[in-house]
Amino acid sequence: MSSDSDTEMAEPTAVQQRHRDAAAEVLPAHTDLYIGGEFVPAAATETFETTDPTTGAVLTDVARGRRADVDRAVEAAWEAFDETWVDYSAGQRQRVLTAIADTIETHADELAQLETLDNGKPVSEAAADVQGAAEQFRYFAGIVRENPGETMTDSQRQAQVIKEPYGVVGQIIPWNFPLMMASWKLAPALAAGNCTVLKPAEQTPLSALRLAELIGDIVPDGVVNIVPGYGDEAGAAVANHDDIRKLAFTGSTAVGKQVMKSAADTVTDVTLELGGKSPIVVFPDTDVQTAVSLVAAAIFYNTGECCEAGSRLFVHEEIADEVLDGLVAAVDDMTIGDPLDDATDLGPKVSRAQVNRTLDYLKRAQKDGGEFLTGGGQPDDEALADGCYVEPTLIDGLSHDAAAAQEEIFGPVLTVFRWDDYDEMIELANDVEYGLAGGVITEDISQANKTARDIEAGYIWINSYHDLAPGLPFGGYKQSGIGRELSAETLDHYRQTKTINLSL
Ligand code: NAP
Ligand code: MG
């Protein structure tokens, strides 16, 4: 890659020019912290850069929040809670959530472009994320009144059991679906009646900041606060704040464990959406082309940067060769390129660090005896040299205990296993520390149901993948997390139970 000064001197390529033009159009006007309804610089007045992973160019500087800023945000959130938000009826909150959804939809194209610039995902996928974000707010607007209580009476007492919001919650999100993850967090927190301090990932803070800007007139000041910054600064300050009553974290299992430990110090309730290494099981009765399309989507959607990615394929040996040939052909047909181009199937990864992490896994896989059926490195294409690209990769022949089969790579890398004995296959499918999701592909519905039950994971797709409909709980078994998102159950994660016992 050329240095910044070289880039300035050189004539921009078509892709660089396109990204500069798009940035000039959609970068948010404000990239300070959003606290108490206004954009304010960080107390230490420091900033960090966010870059475009397609071109390597710096997009903009963003305020670097630290503990003092998180303190300010928490204070603003409590003030908003005590003085305003606590008095909002469910109906008023419903109108706020609906107005947020409308606003997101009105600005859908702009938000999708911004997401693509900051994260590198194909703009068609960014558009789906924006729609998904709006749907979160609509879904929680729809169930905002779902807050049934209980009563208990006997000769001594007449008691009510009610659910109340926590007050101020802390939310920490990753970079792979920046706007969608923000909406998964904000919508239920607000629906349940809380104010929030949200820390976006340092690689992709822009869509959350733009959302704050767009909804500034809809949400009372201080109800939503956005504090971008580094994980070990702003993130850690959220995770162990004395005045935050509930934490919701999405990210890696390693950081999730740290957040949970921090939460122990303040005895704060915590929900975690963590990593995955999900199995996708193909039975021999399956139409090969159907299997190929589903498996390719399961691993390559969003460049494999999906916590639920189907990253371990268990294909029955009767059709294994055909399915693998089909997958290699599907990879050949994929368009790897500029994510602002509608025709692009696979964009860059989010950062150089993520490229290097994926390449390290590929090297280890090779050492461990894996054979690349396709891919295995970075694309050999001068036009892609500035971007954080990794080839879609299929690895055959690995032992299931190899690192590339056990650990979350979070890239476009599928490890392949052939099976003929069902029980042995299920044992391997479950032999990872994760349990987020899984896929079953067969036309035998009884078999599909049995396998769905046999896989230890919180979400199983039969003959589809990645389809997440609001209303259907999403979350992990084992080390993939605690709690469920996207559902009525989520509202309860943002409420605490109070018993009011009236003596008769
Ligand atoms: P990550 O490193 O765990 O970061 C997630 C968030 O935590 C970021 O905002 C990060 O800030 C922050 N953070 C880092 N260190 C922290 C600390 N010590 N205290 C508090 N916060 C801290 O994960 P990532 O690399 O961004 O995202 C990829 C991972 O997320 C994958 O493992 C993936 O499976 C998982 N994920 C899970 C789901 C799900 O729903 N289960 C969804 C999406 C992603 P910085 O970015 O500034 O460091
Ligand atoms: Mg970025």
Side-chain angles (χ1 to χ4, degrees):
M1 271 181 64
S2 48
S3 71
D4 275 356
S5 54
D6 286 349
T7 315
E8 272 162 32
M9 303 290 288
E11 191 70 15
T13 64
V15 170
Q16 284 167 343
Q17 192 56 51
R18 187 181 197 180
H19 281 239
R20 282 183 199 179
D21 293 346
E25 220 176 287
V26 303
L27 280 197
H30 299 286
T31 54
D32 277 337
L33 316 172
Y34 185 69
I35 296 179
E38 54 181 356
F39 285 93
V40 292
T45 66
E46 292 167 302
T47 58
F48 65 96
E49 291 173 342
T50 187
T51 55
D52 178 341
T54 308
T55 62
V58 174
L59 286 168
T60 183
D61 288 335
V62 175
R64 175 174 166 183
R66 288 174 182 262
R67 186 166 299 274
D69 304 297
V70 171
D71 286 346
R72 265 197 297 171
V74 172
E75 213 173 292
W78 273 115
E79 195 179 317
F81 182 77
D82 290 334
E83 291 178 12
T84 314
W85 198 232
V86 75
D87 294 325
Y88 268 52
S89 67
Q92 285 174 304
R93 294 201 304 276
Q94 183 178 49
R95 280 194 285 281
V96 167
L97 290 167
T98 303
I100 297 174
D102 290 344
T103 301
I104 291 173
E105 283 179 352
T106 305
H107 293 268
D109 290 345
E110 170 204 332
L111 287 165
Q113 293 226 357
L114 181 61
E115 201 77 317
T116 291
L117 287 175
D118 209 10
N119 164 282
K121 65 176 65 204
V123 71
S124 56
E125 296 181 9
D129 288 6
V130 174
Q131 192 53 45
E135 272 171 25
Q136 279 304 298
F137 286 98
R138 285 202 200 293
Y139 170 70
F140 284 102
I143 61 167
V144 78
R145 291 173 197 273
E146 298 291 317
N147 192 9
E150 290 167 36
T151 60
M152 196 275 259
T153 55
D154 62 15
S155 59
Q156 311 279 308
R157 58 190 72 81
Q158 179 179 312
Q160 318 160 46
V161 181
I162 63 167
K163 298 261 172 77
E164 295 187 316
Y166 279 97
V168 174
V169 304
Q171 306 184 306
I172 301 173
I173 57 171
W175 43 260
N176 56 341
F177 290 92
L179 184 69
M180 209 158 74
M181 289 297 113
S183 72
W184 284 26
K185 293 284 179 274
L186 296 176
L190 300 187
N194 300 282
C195 297
T196 179
V197 176
L198 179 135
K199 192 204 90 68
E202 74 196 51
Q203 298 85 349
T204 55
L206 297 181
S207 52
L209 290 171
R210 179 61 180 143
L211 179 65
E213 206 175 335
L214 289 172
I215 65 176
D217 292 339
I218 298 170
V219 182
D221 292 351
V223 171
V224 171
N225 302 278
I226 312 282
V227 183
Y230 294 135
D232 56 0
E233 297 175 356
V238 169
N240 67 9
H241 203 286
D242 279 339
D243 296 327
I244 282 179
R245 300 276 195 267
K246 189 246 150 47
L247 283 166
F249 171 85
T250 296
S252 61
T253 295
V255 176
K257 287 177 184 179
Q258 285 181 40
V259 168
M260 201 172 172
K261 284 178 188 157
S262 297
D265 285 339
T266 49
V267 193
T268 300
D269 187 26
V270 54
T271 43
L272 304 169
E273 293 288 354
L274 306 177
K277 191 73 184 176
S278 300
I280 177 159
V281 180
V282 178
F283 282 84
D285 67 344
T286 311
D287 168 64
V288 168
Q289 206 39 53
T290 304
V292 166
S293 307
L294 286 171
V295 172
I299 184 61
F300 298 129
Y301 189 76
N302 206 44
T303 322
E305 294 173 343
C306 296
C307 49
E308 81 278 9
S311 51
R312 290 178 299 137
L313 171 64
F314 292 90
V315 57
H316 193 277
E317 39 178 51
E318 259 177 46
I319 60 164
D321 287 339
E322 280 177 276
V323 169
L324 295 177
D325 287 348
L327 279 168
V328 171
V331 166
D332 277 349
D333 281 350
M334 287 174 78
T335 304
I336 305 176
D338 177 5
L340 281 179
D341 194 326
D342 281 331
T344 292
D345 299 310
L346 198 97
K349 289 183 60 65
V350 74
S351 65
R352 286 276 150 209
Q354 283 295 320
V355 171
N356 293 338
R357 191 168 171 266
T358 303
L359 295 178
D360 282 348
Y361 274 112
L362 297 182
K363 276 188 213 132
R364 275 173 87 178
Q366 216 168 12
K367 264 199 206 139
D368 290 339
E371 180 201 346
F372 298 133
L373 301 180
T374 183
Q378 294 197 268
D380 183 17
D381 178 348
E382 195 44 42
L384 303 179
D386 286 341
C388 299
Y389 291 91
V390 173
E391 289 178 309
T393 299
L394 303 178
I395 311 177
D396 198 2
L398 272 185
S399 157
H400 192 263
D401 55 14
Q406 289 288 318
E407 296 172 23
E408 186 174 46
I409 298 176
F410 226 54
V413 181
L414 180 70
T415 50
V416 175
F417 303 93
R418 298 153 202 257
W419 63 276
D420 63 347
D421 182 288
Y422 180 81
D423 292 336
E424 282 173 18
M425 179 275 292
I426 286 293
E427 202 172 308
L428 283 188
N430 288 331
D431 186 23
V432 286
E433 66 185 28
Y434 297 110
L436 188 56
V440 184
I441 308 178
T442 173
E443 283 164 26
D444 178 344
I445 194 63
S446 308
Q447 180 61 62
N449 268 303
K450 174 172 169 32
T451 307
R453 284 162 189 257
D454 286 343
I455 296 174
E456 289 179 276
Y459 206 111
I460 308 291
W461 286 280
I462 298 174
N463 296 333
S464 71
Y465 212 88
H466 293 303
D467 172 40
L468 294 171
L472 299 177
F474 178 75
Y477 280 20
K478 303 198 286 187
Q479 293 196 27
S480 287
I482 299 174
R484 294 293 177 270
E485 301 203 276
L486 305 188
S487 61
E489 197 177 334
T490 317
L491 276 183
D492 273 344
H493 296 326
Y494 286 100
R495 290 173 176 150
Q496 50 196 343
T497 300
K498 177 179 280 179
T499 300
I500 302 172
N501 187 338
L502 171 69
S503 169
L504 290 180

